[in-house]
Amino acid sequence: MQSKINWIDNLRGIACLMVVMIHTTTWYVTNAHSISHVNWDIANILNSASRVSVPLFFMISGFLFFGERSAQPKHFMRIASCLLFYSAIALLYITLFTSINAGLSLKYLLQKPVFYHLWFFFAIIVIYLVSPLIQVKNVSGKMLLALMVVIGVVANPNTVSQKIGGFEWLPVNLYISGDTFYYILYGMLGRAIGMMDTQKRGINGLCAAIFIIGVVIISRGTLHELQWRGNFADTWYLYCGPMVFICAVSLLTLVKNTLNARPLPWLGFISRHSLGIYGFHALVIHALRTRGVELKSWPLLDIAWIFAATLTVSLLLSMLLQKIDTRRFVS
């Protein structure tokens, strides 16, 4: 089990960094007409490569709770504490530093998050709730691959419609709907792949190639949407979309196979502070962007600056919070 925990720590650190990158580059990918094509394309590629972050978090939770053990009352208490604490921090930030209506944010607290990134805490609760009912079996690689192809691509309602002479052949309608289905599926795949012997000859190179090809398809698909719509669309960015699905499975397998010996010092450090970084980073980015502490005249430098500044500030806040929150309820 200890060796498996090592790759989980490394994967969590990678996913955390990717989340920060998504929100760092969001302004650029959604404002294509304000920057050059080259700069937009680089931001698009960085964002495309990072889309797997949220699925990876669900897969990590599934690996931990869809096996012999399930989520316990202490886990529900922790996620509820996190939701309340970071919502309170976001509400305080909104009240003091923005023109957003704090009253409406509080009024609809149980319907939508106070700040956009906090939606994840609502979604992960579902994984915890169903965990006592799910214990993933050991399955063969061929069976798992068939399941992923059918549910992840062929019958995925987010698959871009494919037609021949008016006949729609993709996606096949298996009456799958709702992102929650895929969040739970990600959790089950995390457990299934985590238990599987994936150390096969050539698998690492294959997974790396699939991930790179998937990122290229996501980024080119997003560019195509921009060109024909005239504006940004997140069709290919969707966390439950087929290409993000494929990339997430590929990267999880690759990390499990190659980063399993020990937690890498930097990734392990990020992993230990991933909760705090996630809770604070969106507020830091918003503050930097709205206060003009940015370098938009040099987009690539700005991306590096916002990413580094956000990660540093969020990390420092997390470290401070861990000093206070010794029982790790919210840190």
Side-chain angles (χ1 to χ4, degrees):
M1 175 61 77
Q2 186 57 45
S3 63
K4 293 180 181 180
I5 293 298
N6 290 335
W7 67 263
I8 286 289
D9 283 345
N10 288 321
L11 189 64
R12 186 185 289 114
I14 292 171
C16 183
L17 294 173
M18 285 180 163
V19 166
V20 178
M21 181 56 72
I22 285 176
H23 296 143
T24 295
T25 54
T26 293
W27 187 89
Y28 289 101
V29 296
T30 56
N31 289 274
H33 303 298
S34 301
I35 59 173
S36 71
H37 172 74
V38 172
N39 288 324
W40 180 87
D41 216 24
I42 293 173
N44 176 35
I45 291 172
L46 290 172
N47 204 303
S48 298
S50 301
R51 302 312 297 185
V52 298
S53 55
V54 170
L56 289 177
F57 278 125
F58 285 115
M59 295 170 99
I60 290 170
S61 295
F63 174 78
L64 296 174
F65 296 126
F66 284 177
E68 292 77 14
R69 68 169 184 157
S70 58
Q72 301 300 309
K74 64 179 181 180
H75 298 112
F76 287 99
M77 182 179 297
R78 190 181 191 215
I79 202 68
S81 298
C82 287
L83 179 58
L84 292 173
F85 175 78
Y86 290 107
S87 294
I89 293 295
L91 194 62
L92 185 63
Y93 173 78
I94 288 171
T95 302
L96 296 178
F97 302 108
T98 76
S99 58
I100 300 172
N101 190 319
L104 286 178
S105 297
L106 189 60
K107 180 180 179 181
Y108 294 105
L109 173 64
L110 297 181
Q111 276 66 52
K112 60 181 181 179
V114 171
F115 216 77
Y116 65 90
H117 69 301
L118 299 179
W119 73 270
F120 180 77
F121 290 124
F122 287 93
I124 203 68
I125 288 175
V126 177
I127 301 296
Y128 288 12
L129 285 171
V130 301
S131 65
L133 304 175
I134 298 176
Q135 185 170 347
V136 177
K137 301 176 182 177
N138 281 301
V139 295
S140 68
K142 291 181 180 179
M143 179 63 70
L144 192 62
L145 180 61
L147 181 151
M148 289 189 292
V149 169
V150 173
I151 301 182
V153 180
V154 175
N156 190 328
N158 296 305
T159 295
V160 176
S161 177
Q162 302 295 321
K163 297 180 180 180
I164 298 178
F167 175 76
E168 184 172 1
W169 60 280
L170 276 181
V172 175
N173 185 10
L174 295 185
Y175 294 91
I176 298 171
S177 63
D179 289 348
T180 301
F181 174 88
Y182 282 94
Y183 299 156
I184 295 173
L185 179 62
Y186 278 134
M188 292 190 291
L189 287 175
R191 182 65 190 181
I193 296 172
M195 294 189 299
M196 186 178 295
D197 177 15
T198 53
Q199 293 286 0
K200 307 292 185 181
R201 184 178 180 180
I203 194 72
N204 293 341
L206 179 61
C207 287
I210 290 174
F211 178 77
I212 293 170
I213 292 170
V215 170
V216 171
I217 293 174
I218 293 169
S219 62
R220 296 308 88 190
T222 303
L223 175 61
H224 175 73
E225 291 281 312
L226 175 67
Q227 290 173 335
W228 81 269
R229 290 176 184 267
N231 210 341
F232 170 78
D234 66 351
T235 305
W236 293 87
Y237 274 10
L238 297 176
Y239 295 130
C240 302
M243 294 316 304
V244 174
F245 180 94
I246 291 170
C247 287
V249 171
S250 300
L251 187 58
L252 180 138
T253 305
L254 182 62
V255 171
K256 174 177 177 284
N257 287 350
T258 59
L259 299 179
N260 199 22
R262 62 185 179 86
L264 298 182
W266 178 239
L267 287 179
F269 184 63
I270 295 295
S271 178
R272 290 192 296 275
H273 290 279
S274 59
L275 182 54
I277 292 172
Y278 187 89
F280 289 119
H281 82 280
L283 303 177
V284 176
I285 291 176
H286 186 273
L288 292 172
R289 292 288 186 208
T290 57
R291 294 295 180 274
V293 189
E294 50 191 351
L295 307 167
K296 285 183 179 175
S297 298
W298 303 277
L300 300 186
L301 186 60
D302 181 65
I303 290 172
W305 153 247
I306 294 294
F307 178 83
T310 299
L311 184 61
T312 300
V313 173
S314 300
L315 189 54
L316 290 174
L317 289 172
S318 177
M319 292 169 67
L320 176 61
L321 185 59
Q322 285 194 2
K323 293 287 186 182
I324 302 170
D325 178 31
T326 56
R327 300 190 66 179
R328 301 292 187 269
F329 282 116
V330 295
S331 61

